[in-house]
Amino acid sequence: MYAKSPIVVLTLASLASAALVRHVICPNGKMTANAACCPLFDIIDDLQQNLFDGGQCGEDAHSALRLSFHDAIGYSLYDPTAGGGADGSIYTFAETETNYPANDGIDDVIARQKPFIDGYQNNLTAGDFIQLAAAVGVSNCQGAPRLAFKLGRPKARFPAKDGTVPEPFQSVTTILDRFSDAGFDKGAVIALLASHTIAAADKIDITVPGAPFDSTPYSFDSQFYIETSLRGGTYPGTGPNRGEASAPWNLQGEMRLQSDFLLARDSRTVCYWQSYFGEEDRMRYDFKSQMARLACLGQDCHNMIDCSDVIPEPKPPAGKPHLPAGSLPSDVEGTCPGTPPIPLTPDPGSPTSVPPVPP
């Protein structure tokens, strides 16, 4: 009797494994785990060609990720009137939500996506489209994780409230409290900020349009965490620059936000921040996990269709985490108790000038 048990277990495991790899062949010849996902392949091809400039990690890809966050974070665990989460309300009720200060510049992103959202409304709700576009856009960035995508969000019923999107000039406490209200702890907040590794300024300071938040805005890497932690530069608080913090002296053209500057040094978050300096694989894993949670805020994702296998596979990372030229490990501000010295090697050469991201 005991000799037969392992055979039964192996047989069941084999059957389960076979079920996991079962696919359907779509009319276009591509494969997916669920036939309901087949129409997405043609939509993705259209997005890649006509929204993301042939599959580039450019401004439209960055903006698609930003829009997905601004839509989804309109949610509260405790206030059902705060918003419906990842439901597309930022598009459906754009006249309301784009007037919120935190959504300054989002109207431009919506205008770029509107023809696609309207054109595919028979296949996708606005909430589904926004999350799909974000996952596809991120896939164009070298080193990015392959984000999950689930299909089946209902239409938005009401707009999110003003104040649900954190702003760059708010205090660390205010930002952490807002995220906590939506169900994200301190570690999750820092993981989600990996989005800034492929981000650039929009309306934060109109005198420096397209200023990137790190020196590698087309690569999904940990340079954002490293460079935001370097000494040098200032931040003007809640003055007319609306939260801008100038970059270190040796990274001309780069911008860092007041909120990022403070989170990188605050005792509640500095250890999470610095943990990504040399752990890019974990950074990508954490970001993917938290983005999956974000995309399900206010939604019953357990009853949605998992179409994650239609998302393009990103290119592998290039390069290693490093200090920019002219920096030293001692230039890293913020201390995480009990951690060893920062294992980073400075680039050779002179200080770097970082070009803006084209619109």
Side-chain angles (χ1 to χ4, degrees), residues 346-359:
D347 278 353
S350 303
T352 301
S353 178
V354 184
V357 175

Side-chain angles (χ1 to χ4, degrees), residues 167-171 204 233-246 256-259 261-262:
E167 299 192 59
F169 56 81
Q170 291 175 329
S171 69
I204 297 167
T234 58
Y235 64 92
T238 56
N241 289 329
R242 301 191 60 236
E244 177 222 348
S246 62
R256 58 187 178 191
L257 303 179
Q258 175 188 318
S259 52
F261 182 97
L262 296 176

Side-chain angles (χ1 to χ4, degrees), residues 51 59-73 88-115 117 130 134 160 164-168 196 200-204 242:
L51 180 62
E59 175 60 21
D60 283 307
H62 304 169
S63 296
L65 180 57
R66 182 184 179 216
L67 183 64
S68 72
F69 171 76
H70 282 241
D71 181 49
I73 199 64
S89 69
I90 202 165
Y91 176 81
T92 305
F93 300 99
E95 290 186 3
T96 298
E97 293 195 31
T98 58
N99 284 315
Y100 300 159
N103 289 333
D104 192 14
I106 287 290
D107 54 335
D108 295 336
V109 184
I110 289 175
R112 286 282 291 135
Q113 293 194 8
K114 178 176 172 56
I117 296 176
I130 288 171
T164 53
V165 180
E167 299 192 59
H196 284 184
D202 187 10
K203 298 293 183 69
I204 297 167
R242 301 191 60 236

Side-chain angles (χ1 to χ4, degrees), residues 166-225:
E167 299 192 59
F169 56 81
Q170 291 175 329
S171 69
V172 170
T173 297
T174 299
I175 291 171
L176 294 180
D177 286 349
R178 170 76 275 272
F179 273 101
S180 177
D181 180 52
F184 295 93
D185 62 17
K186 298 185 292 293
V189 173
I190 303 308
L192 284 170
L193 282 172
S195 61
H196 284 184
T197 190
I198 53 169
D202 187 10
K203 298 293 183 69
I204 297 167
D205 185 344
I206 60 174
T207 67
V208 285
F213 295 161
D214 75 2
S215 59
T216 56
Y218 308 108
S219 297
F220 200 98
D221 55 29
S222 61
Q223 288 306 120
F224 161 70
Y225 293 100

Side-chain angles (χ1 to χ4, degrees), residues 236-275:
T238 56
N241 289 329
R242 301 191 60 236
E244 177 222 348
S246 62
W249 66 271
N250 56 342
L251 288 168
Q252 298 302 313
E254 183 176 308
M255 176 185 288
R256 58 187 178 191
L257 303 179
Q258 175 188 318
S259 52
D260 292 339
F261 182 97
L262 296 176
L263 285 161
R265 293 157 176 79
D266 191 275
S267 61
R268 291 166 288 183
T269 50
V270 64
C271 290
Y272 295 107
W273 197 279
Q274 294 189 6
S275 72

Side-chain angles (χ1 to χ4, degrees), residues 216-352:
T216 56
Y218 308 108
S219 297
F220 200 98
D221 55 29
S222 61
Q223 288 306 120
F224 161 70
Y225 293 100
I226 295 167
E227 294 167 16
T228 306
S229 300
L230 297 177
R231 73 176 70 254
T234 58
Y235 64 92
T238 56
N241 289 329
R242 301 191 60 236
E244 177 222 348
S246 62
W249 66 271
N250 56 342
L251 288 168
Q252 298 302 313
E254 183 176 308
M255 176 185 288
R256 58 187 178 191
L257 303 179
Q258 175 188 318
S259 52
D260 292 339
F261 182 97
L262 296 176
L263 285 161
R265 293 157 176 79
D266 191 275
S267 61
R268 291 166 288 183
T269 50
V270 64
C271 290
Y272 295 107
W273 197 279
Q274 294 189 6
S275 72
Y276 292 143
F277 281 7
E279 296 288 342
E280 289 191 332
D281 286 343
R282 187 165 60 80
M283 176 196 75
R284 295 181 183 98
Y285 175 85
D286 290 351
F287 179 73
K288 178 176 181 174
S289 298
Q290 297 306 325
M291 280 298 296
R293 291 183 59 212
L294 184 77
C296 285
L297 285 183
Q299 310 304 310
D300 183 8
C301 278
H302 294 295
N303 289 321
M304 289 185 187
I305 300 169
D306 190 345
C307 294
S308 301
D309 60 1
V310 308
I311 304 300
E313 192 75 52
K315 294 179 181 179
K320 296 181 179 180
H322 59 273
L323 290 167
S327 300
L328 296 171
S330 58
D331 290 327
V332 174
E333 296 183 321
T335 302
C336 179
T339 57
I342 306 299
L344 298 173
T345 302
D347 278 353
S350 303
T352 301

